[in-house]
Amino acid sequence: MPRRSYETSIYPFSRRLETKRQRKRAEFLESIGVRFEGDPESNDLPHIYLPRLHRQKTEKDQNTKLGDALLKLAQDSSTNDHVTSHQDQMSTVQREIREFTDWIVPHLRKSGFELDFKRPIVIESIPPWTTAEKEIPCLLPFSLKKVRLKPLDPGYVVMQLPRRDSTDSDEFSNLRSEDRLHLSPKKTYHLFHKILKKAFQKESIPFERLRMVLKDSRYCIYYDLKNYGWRIEIIPAIHIYKSNAVLVSKPFDIDENASSEMRWRICWAQKEAEIIRSISCTDKGIRTKALQIVCKLCQKDWRLKMLTPYQIQTTLLFDMDYHVDHSPRWQRSSLEECVLSLLNRLLHYAKAGYLPHFIIEGLDLFGLLDPKTVILYKSALERLTTNEKALISLIERTRPEDDAEPLWLEPKPDSVALPNLQIPTYTGIV
């Protein structure tokens, strides 16, 4: 078949290419779907259309009762009289967090303990454990030599230490579990508290700003920030070489062995945050708004109240994975479409009785729930996805009253009560 000339090519204007290099470049651009548009008589460089992932959202959302109700709920925070004050607070808090993370690592490395500390990780997405208001999880990862990882159930590992008699001492003496063979999460908390106190003592930082408390048989280390009552939860973590995953000593929300002396949990918070950040950059944050809204709706419906934000975030990741493969214009979806899609995806997993982890194969986030609870989820989600009036009614009940103070302004007492399941307010992405 004769080769067609560029005078009759698929470009909307005729342009003779004079060199072989230019011709090959044009063929390459044509093969990857780049098309030109311009005036045939003009010498200006024609506009190059970028792939659809990078196009801006230009379509206007359709006006529906449900769409209007969702937009009002999403706009409540932005139209609140206190929003400017809140933004100033968050800016101050984030700056103080950066100062803390920049300061802490050199002091930890000079503490005299044989631990190779890495850069702290401030979790920006929803973590797999419940986080209280005005509380920011910060992982302090470290690496250990002469330690072997042994996988257990999906999502869990134990750290095997070199064998030692009970009378022998080594660099792991303060970290060994009761059987002297494994790294203990609880003893790691105690060692971290000791190291941090030593670092603070050198800088004359008041000890009362650093606290380790026992909450529901779980240890927590808190560092109180100077501004607005915020605090950092410091979580010991083990760095995995060449991986975005870390092993954390903190139990997950639904954990059969929350008080284990040996189990460490695999946490992919960094990778999940990267995925959500990429989604937000592409769809202008519409799905993170949908995530916030669904979390709030679930907190208002008594049948869905125990559905954790992390489970909802995981469902969003699966929903996005589906739409990227099957919906060429997924980045132009409206808020109404995103909320309904997320609710329907939750219903799909409730019907199946199985919610897989997005990254860890074999881990079921519904696995430890009572089957009756999952059935309750199913009935509630079926009603919300098939009855528009019921969904609008729930949205109206979720909206705060006009004269109500926002939740982040309420003082939080220093107690050991169970943290609520509201979506964390600290996150920069969500």
Side-chain angles (χ1 to χ4, degrees):
M1 182 176 180
R3 182 189 182 95
R4 65 179 177 183
S5 67
Y6 276 84
E7 288 80 9
T8 59
S9 69
I10 63 171
Y11 295 111
F13 61 92
S14 175
R15 173 172 292 183
R16 183 180 296 276
L17 301 179
E18 299 179 354
T19 66
K20 185 176 181 181
R21 181 181 299 175
Q22 287 176 317
R23 185 181 300 110
K24 286 185 176 181
R25 174 172 172 78
E27 290 173 349
F28 169 74
L29 291 173
E30 181 179 341
S31 68
I32 63 173
V34 176
R35 60 191 179 89
F36 293 88
E37 180 179 85
D39 183 0
E41 304 300 327
S42 173
N43 294 322
D44 296 334
L45 182 67
H47 176 67
I48 298 180
Y49 280 81
L50 295 174
R52 62 173 177 267
L53 280 179
H54 299 279
R55 295 181 195 167
Q56 295 184 352
K57 184 176 184 297
T58 57
E59 295 180 351
K60 187 177 180 180
D61 296 339
Q62 296 180 353
N63 292 327
T64 64
K65 289 184 179 180
L66 178 58
D68 291 342
L70 289 170
L71 287 175
K72 288 178 181 178
L73 180 58
Q75 292 169 358
D76 277 339
S77 59
S78 62
T79 57
N80 194 288
D81 293 337
H82 303 279
V83 68
T84 303
S85 175
H86 178 50
Q87 291 173 346
D88 293 340
Q89 286 190 20
M90 288 305 300
S91 177
T92 303
V93 169
Q94 289 170 354
R95 182 173 63 251
E96 190 175 355
I97 293 170
R98 286 194 298 270
E99 292 173 354
F100 172 78
T101 54
D102 291 340
W103 170 84
I104 193 64
V105 174
H107 287 78
L108 292 177
R109 290 173 178 169
K110 297 176 183 177
S111 61
F113 294 87
E114 298 182 7
L115 296 176
D116 183 13
F117 287 97
K118 306 298 181 181
R119 176 78 184 173
I121 302 170
V122 178
I123 296 183
E124 297 178 329
S125 61
I126 299 175
W129 54 81
T130 300
T131 303
E133 292 284 337
K134 293 194 171 185
E135 196 171 282
I136 303 167
C138 178
L139 306 179
L140 281 188
F142 63 97
S143 61
L144 290 173
K145 298 179 180 179
K146 306 177 185 177
V147 175
R148 290 173 51 198
L149 291 178
K150 181 181 178 181
L152 297 177
D153 305 330
Y156 297 87
V157 300
V158 294
M159 307 287 292
Q160 293 183 332
L161 300 177
R163 289 182 175 272
R164 287 289 186 277
D165 294 333
S166 59
T167 56
D168 295 340
S169 62
D170 62 354
E171 63 268 31
F172 304 113
S173 297
N174 297 323
L175 298 174
R176 291 182 180 272
S177 58
E178 295 298 328
D179 63 3
R180 306 286 299 169
L181 298 176
H182 299 92
L183 188 70
S184 168
K186 291 183 179 180
K187 291 189 177 181
T188 305
Y189 263 106
H190 283 281
L191 180 62
F192 263 60
H193 186 242
K194 183 178 179 180
I195 293 175
L196 290 168
K197 283 186 68 175
K198 185 176 180 180
F200 285 10
Q201 187 177 12
K202 289 183 179 181
E203 295 294 321
S204 300
I205 298 176
F207 285 155
E208 55 268 21
R209 290 181 60 187
L210 180 72
R211 296 172 293 117
M212 186 169 72
V213 300
L214 185 63
K215 183 186 296 185
D216 303 322
S217 73
R218 310 174 186 181
Y219 285 104
C220 298
I221 298 176
Y222 295 118
Y223 172 67
D224 295 328
L225 300 178
K226 296 179 181 178
N227 297 287
Y228 305 113
W230 286 74
R231 64 185 183 184
I232 297 175
E233 183 183 4
I234 300 174
I235 303 170
I238 296 176
H239 171 75
I240 300 179
Y241 182 64
K242 289 187 178 180
S243 172
N244 278 334
V246 293
L247 303 178
V248 295
S249 53
K250 186 178 179 67
F252 296 156
D253 274 334
I254 303 175
D255 199 321
E256 189 176 13
N257 299 281
S259 57
S260 172
E261 263 290 306
M262 299 184 295
R263 288 182 174 238
W264 291 77
R265 286 84 183 167
I266 302 175
C267 180
W268 284 94
Q270 276 185 291
K271 188 63 177 179
E272 290 164 341
E274 289 177 7
I275 296 172
I276 294 176
R277 191 183 298 113
S278 298
I279 294 170
S280 299
C281 290
T282 305
D283 66 5
K284 292 194 170 181
I286 201 72
R287 281 175 176 79
T288 54
K289 288 182 181 178
L291 174 61
Q292 286 180 318
I293 287 174
V294 173
C295 286
K296 292 177 182 178
L297 295 179
C298 290
Q299 286 299 304
K300 203 66 177 180
D301 191 318
W302 67 271
R303 296 167 298 180
L304 300 173
K305 197 172 183 66
M306 294 307 296
L307 196 62
T308 67
Y310 186 74
Q311 291 168 336
I312 301 172
Q313 176 183 268
T314 301
T315 306
L316 174 69
L317 295 177
F318 279 110
D319 193 49
M320 274 304 308
D321 190 49
Y322 174 83
H323 284 297
V324 168
D325 290 338
H326 296 87
S327 305
R329 297 164 68 86
W330 64 265
Q331 76 279 8
R332 298 191 179 192
S333 298
S334 66
L335 181 61
E336 178 182 352
E337 292 170 337
C338 293
V339 169
L340 289 176
S341 180
L342 181 52
L343 289 173
N344 277 288
R345 190 70 54 182
L346 280 168
L347 175 60
H348 166 76
Y349 289 118
K351 286 181 176 179
Y354 179 81
L355 175 58
H357 192 277
F358 189 69
I359 300 175
I360 303 173
E361 186 176 358
L363 179 58
D364 180 13
L365 299 184
F366 284 168
L368 297 177
L369 292 178
D370 186 340
K372 293 181 180 179
T373 302
V374 181
I375 293 174
L376 200 62
Y377 291 166
K378 173 178 168 291
S379 63
L381 291 166
E382 279 181 338
R383 184 167 183 266
L384 293 178
T385 53
T386 58
N387 189 332
E388 184 175 296
K389 290 184 179 179
L391 181 54
I392 293 176
S393 175
L394 180 59
I395 292 170
E396 293 299 327
R397 297 201 311 272
T398 305
R399 291 187 62 194
E401 297 180 5
D402 293 337
D403 56 350
E405 289 282 307
L407 290 175
W408 53 266
L409 286 179
E410 296 177 2
K412 186 172 182 63
D414 186 12
S415 65
V416 294
L418 282 172
N420 58 45
L421 291 177
Q422 292 181 355
I423 186 170
T425 58
Y426 67 86
T427 51
I429 303 174
V430 180

